[in-house]
Amino acid sequence: MKRLMQLILVTVLAFSSVPGFAAAGTQSNPYGLIKSVGDQLFVDISKLNTLEEVQKKAQLKKLVREQLMPHIDIKYVSFKLLGKHVREINRDQAVTFIDAVEQYLANTYANALMSYKGQQVNFIEPVVSDDSKFASVKSEIVEPNAPTIDIVFKFRKNKAGEWQVYDLVAESISLLSAKQKEITARISEVGIEQVTKELVAKS
């Protein structure tokens, strides 16, 4: 899972170096969204290379919260993670769980960014109809002396018409599905409140 999250962030940042996406300056489509976010992250992260590891990690967390997390569909992801337990919890538990998921993901992304080394990424342009509410963007991560890794970004258009990431699929394995199995099983074992505390503790 750790390796997968590292590859995810490599892909996000590598969008900033992909030529030929002149139309990606807006956030009206999945390419535009990742290009815009990736460009700014790449510039800002390069300014942190002189910092000590602890300071760099703290600044990366801040960047992730401010620049990346607004483009993740946290509420949708959180309810998907709850699976069969979504009908069992009350509003306060739901709000607390969503906040814990956001903290957990922000920390996970910040950790992954610490490993970014400027890997090469190739992209396959998707065909997305204007009225579609879902889209997928396939990417290929190429590293010397290593197998090519396929990662697919899953996007969902929210009620405001904005594209947000809700899942990533690496080598045919859905990050959301894998984490859902883990969390639903844990909730069955110890309850929603304990799982929420565990997510916060990992943040």
Side-chain angles (χ1 to χ4, degrees):
M1 189 67 69
K2 181 179 179 181
R3 173 62 174 166
L4 173 58
M5 295 310 298
Q6 290 174 343
L7 292 172
I8 288 167
L9 266 296
V10 165
T11 309
V12 171
L13 288 177
F15 264 97
S16 64
S17 61
V18 176
F21 290 103
T26 71
Q27 296 184 17
S28 61
N29 59 72
Y31 273 116
L33 172 60
I34 293 185
K35 180 67 165 66
S36 176
V37 174
D39 274 343
Q40 191 60 53
L41 275 174
F42 187 82
V43 170
D44 290 341
I45 289 173
S46 66
K47 300 175 183 177
L48 305 179
N49 291 332
T50 59
L51 298 178
E52 296 292 334
E53 184 172 341
V54 174
Q55 292 177 311
K56 183 176 181 180
K57 176 67 178 298
Q59 290 300 311
L60 281 174
K61 278 189 175 183
K62 182 179 179 181
L63 288 179
V64 167
R65 289 193 186 100
E66 292 177 351
Q67 299 180 26
L68 183 58
M69 295 312 294
H71 306 294
I72 307 296
D73 197 336
I74 297 297
K75 185 176 181 179
Y76 185 79
V77 169
S78 296
F79 283 120
K80 283 291 186 180
L81 289 175
L82 286 170
K84 64 182 181 180
H85 300 291
V86 70
R87 295 184 179 88
E88 303 169 3
I89 64 174
N90 59 44
R91 185 181 184 281
D92 289 341
Q93 289 174 322
V95 170
T96 304
F97 180 76
I98 291 170
D99 182 63
V101 169
E102 183 170 11
Q103 292 182 54
Y104 172 77
L105 289 178
N107 184 66
T108 301
Y109 287 140
N111 284 332
L113 284 170
M114 294 287 287
S115 304
Y116 179 65
K117 305 297 181 184
Q119 291 89 336
Q120 177 186 345
V121 180
N122 301 321
F123 300 93
I124 300 174
E125 185 174 0
V127 177
V128 182
S129 62
D130 293 338
D131 60 347
S132 177
K133 294 183 179 180
F134 292 89
S136 298
V137 177
K138 182 180 178 181
S139 60
E140 299 175 335
I141 298 178
V142 182
E143 296 187 69
N145 305 314
T148 297
I149 304 294
D150 291 338
I151 291 184
V152 178
F153 285 79
K154 295 288 188 177
F155 287 85
R156 175 177 175 267
K157 186 183 290 186
N158 62 24
K159 292 181 180 179
E162 301 167 334
W163 288 102
Q164 291 182 301
V165 175
Y166 73 90
D167 191 17
L168 299 111
V169 180
E171 296 295 277
S172 300
I173 298 174
S174 163
L175 176 63
L176 181 60
S177 295
K179 198 66 181 176
Q180 182 192 54
K181 291 178 182 178
E182 175 187 333
I183 287 181
T184 54
R186 187 63 177 156
I187 292 175
S188 296
E189 181 181 352
V190 301
I192 181 64
E193 293 183 0
Q194 178 60 31
V195 170
T196 299
K197 290 178 182 178
E198 290 173 359
L199 287 173
V200 172
K202 294 176 181 179
S203 304

